[in-house]
Structures are given as C-alpha cells and as structure tokens.
Amino acid sequence: MSTLPLAGIRVLDLSTVLAAPVTATFLGDFGAEVVKVEEPGRGDFTRGTTAGARSPYWAQEARNKKSVTLDLRTEAGQRIVRELVPHFDVVVTNYRPPTLKAWGLDPDTLQEIAPRAVLVYVTGYGLTGPYRDRGSFDRIASAFAGLTYVTGDEDRPPVRSGYSTIDYMAAYLGAFSVVTALYHRDTAGGGGQVIDLALYEAGFRASEDALAAYATTGKVRERLGNRNPQIVPASDFTTGDGRRVSIHAGTDALFGRLATVMGRPDLAQSPQYATRAARARHADALYATIADWAAEYAADDLTKLLSEAGVPASPLMSIADIAEDAHYRERGTLVEVEDPDFGRLPMVAPLPRLSKTPGSIRSTGPRLGEHNSEVYGDVLGLGPDELAALCADGVI
C-alpha cells in the first residue's frame, strides 16, 4: 500500500467527547500517529459506562490511536503533558478556557514551549467572546447555532438531529484546518499556529442563506418539516408498505420526469406547476397528488422506478437497512475490521476516498494505557522504575 499522506505527523489527543477526538481520528485514518491521553482507571467517555472498557463506539472512534493514561488534574500530570507537547506536530484539545489556563495548556503557554506545533482548540464557544468560558456539547451547539430552531414540524416544538451532527461537522473542519496549517508550516515556513474552532460555528456554517435573507428581508427561517418552500416538490412520502421515501424533483426538468413517471405529463404543462415559482405557490395541492400516487407502491419499487427515470429518490434508511445495503458494502463506505473483543466489526470507512492514498484502519480502539511504556519510554525516556512510581502515585 502507498505511504499514507499524513505518515510522519504526530498528533497528541488531549480531548474527550466528541468533535476534538474525532478530529484526531480523521487524521489517524490518513496516517498520522495519534497518541490519546486518557484519565487513569477510567478512560474516555466513549469507552462506555464501565471504567476502562472497550465499547464498539470506542473501537471505531479511537481506531488508529495509541492510549496513554495521565491525570491532568495533578501537577505531575501537567508537567508530563507539557514535556510531551514539543514532540508532536499537532495538539488537539477541547477543555474550557479556564481549565486550559489552570492546567498550563492555554495557547500562550503551549506556543512558547512548542512554536512549530499546530494547536487545535475545539471549545464550545471559542477562545474569545463573552461566552468563551461556557461549556457545550453537540446538543447545546445545535441550539446556539440555530439548527435546532429550524428543525421539525412547524406545529410542534423543535427537535435536534438524531445524530451528533455538529460534532462530526466540527471534526471535519478541525481536520481540514490542521492539514491547512501543516501545509503552511511545511511549505511556506510559517511555523506553528493556533486553531480556534468553536463547536457552534460548524453548525452555523450550515445555515445556508438564513442570515443574509434576514438581513435583507427581515424574514426569520422557521420550521417547515420535510418541505423547502423554495424547492417543490422535495419531501418525504409514505408508501404502500408503510415506509417513507424521499423524493427531490424541484427543478423544472426533474419535475417533468416525475410527472411522466406518474403518468401525468399534463402536470408539468399546467400553469399551476410549470415553473418553480408556480409550484411553490401551489405546493399543498401538488404534494397531495404525489402522496396519493406514492401510496400505490412499495418503497423499494418506488425508489427503483424513480431512479431509473432519473428522479433522485431514496427510502429513509435505518441503520439496519444500511447494514445490509449492497451499495454501502460494494463501494466500501461500510467496512468490517477484526476487533479483539467484538470479532468482525462493521464500521464507517475512512472518508473521504482518495484514489492514490486512501485512508486505512490499522487498529481499533486500544486498551486503556496500552501504550504507556512505549510512549513515555520512547518519547520522554522514562524507565520502568519511573513509570511504576508514577502509576503508584495515580499520575498514570
């Protein structure tokens, strides 16, 4: 296999739950050596409810990482982590600014001891601003970014995404920023720098034109369920077998294809539906017609019929559907890896797909502290007696 593109880059993962550690995971997928620092005796949150365990979640999100234990609440732990930092190209953390300052992990301190390091701070509200000291998680970031407000049916309270979408969006932004900063450092002699990424910013970046529209028209984006008021038809429909299928035929050309498949080519010629603007004005009547038609088919049959006609459509897939889907497996979006506890374990493949240097899964999430001797010995030169003393004191 070709050398992975980030081979030779060393990443120190000083983070937990969820955007920051996944940032490090993405870098590890493409060859970076990632050392994750965990709390002694307990380990990372994604290990599960049993201290030091290995959950399937951990197996996936801590893949391609080495685990060392270190109690950052102790002076000795803080001293050791500052000794580690200069040996790494990238440091990723997500502690709140007051904690960073108290532990000596703030940007000024780390830049002084590791001027070539790329320092990634994924915090709830960023390192600046009046809310900088507040904590956050995906749910809170979604609320603050405006995503929760616009999600759900218009006659019901808002709902958040069923997955930690903002965490993973922020992780991709974090990984992108690291690669950009490393390119600047290594090709332009730019040295290290601080990456200040607020968790909510990843969600806010996905808010389309909501801010510009509000600024120019005063209109506030509201919840509209599955519909988009400017793109009609584009919604989900219940099929004859009780499933749901998502259909997007919002352009004039696509609507013409849909009308033909429905056996109603006249719809595309009707003044009510011939243009995008006209369809938006008469959306309710059009959606009722499509819903009646969709109810005559099973979900898979309807999807096949529409796809063959060039109309984008998909069943609403559960994870059980995805686990058995031929496209996921044949394309390699879903892969199976051998895990010491779970056997053949399916998980999301390294993404995106690179033609010459694709990512790889070289190991699943490690045992707690599995690499203490390797990392502390090779990087800091600590011997067995020193490691034993640190362990006895609860530092590692």
Side-chain angles (χ1 to χ4, degrees), residues 6 21-31 61 63 168 171-172 175 351:
L6 296 181
V22 175
T23 295
T25 301
F26 289 159
L27 299 172
D29 283 351
F30 289 90
E61 299 307 355
R63 66 193 188 195
Y168 285 85
Y172 273 118
L351 298 171

Side-chain angles (χ1 to χ4, degrees), residues 13-191:
D13 179 359
L14 302 174
S15 62
T16 186
V17 194
L18 184 62
V22 175
T23 295
T25 301
F26 289 159
L27 299 172
D29 283 351
F30 289 90
E33 178 189 358
V34 180
V35 174
K36 181 169 184 64
V37 173
E38 301 186 72
E39 183 179 353
R42 181 180 299 274
D44 189 82
F45 180 87
T46 54
R47 284 184 175 275
T49 56
T50 302
R54 294 183 72 258
S55 67
Y57 200 1
W58 171 257
Q60 173 176 281
E61 299 307 355
R63 66 193 188 195
N64 300 324
K65 294 185 181 184
K66 298 177 179 179
S67 170
V68 299
T69 51
L70 189 63
D71 189 348
L72 296 176
R73 295 178 178 84
T74 65
E75 290 187 9
Q78 294 161 15
R79 173 182 54 78
I80 290 173
V81 80
R82 287 193 292 272
E83 291 175 357
L84 284 172
V85 165
H87 297 276
F88 289 81
D89 299 280
V90 180
V91 179
V92 183
T93 187
N94 63 349
Y95 295 106
R96 293 187 302 116
T99 302
L100 295 169
K101 186 69 175 177
W103 290 356
L105 299 176
D106 56 283
D108 289 342
T109 300
L110 295 192
Q111 280 191 302
E112 183 176 350
I113 64 177
R116 281 183 51 78
V118 173
L119 307 174
V120 188
Y121 291 89
V122 185
T123 58
Y125 294 87
L127 298 176
T128 61
Y131 305 157
R132 62 185 178 273
D133 292 347
R134 295 181 180 180
S136 186
F137 290 97
D138 178 275
R139 173 182 294 275
I140 307 306
S142 181
F144 190 69
L147 263 66
T148 305
Y149 182 86
V150 299
T151 304
D153 293 324
E154 57 186 330
D155 59 345
R156 295 184 181 183
V159 295
R160 67 176 288 269
S161 170
Y163 290 124
S164 297
T165 305
I166 289 186
D167 276 330
Y168 285 85
M169 290 169 62
Y172 273 118
L173 274 180
F176 164 77
S177 65
V178 167
V179 173
T180 302
L182 288 173
Y183 181 84
H184 178 255
R185 185 194 73 174
D186 296 340
T187 64

Side-chain angles (χ1 to χ4, degrees), residues 272-291:
Q272 284 186 305
Y273 308 131
T275 67
R276 174 180 167 185
R279 290 192 298 276
R281 289 193 300 269
H282 300 92
D284 288 345
L286 180 57
Y287 278 126
T289 299
I290 298 171

Side-chain angles (χ1 to χ4, degrees), residues 331-353:
R331 178 169 165 77
T333 311
L334 181 158
V335 296
E336 289 188 354
V337 296
E338 193 67 35
D339 182 87
D341 292 327
F342 306 110
R344 295 293 293 175
L345 183 66
M347 63 178 60
V348 182
L351 298 171
R353 191 180 313 278

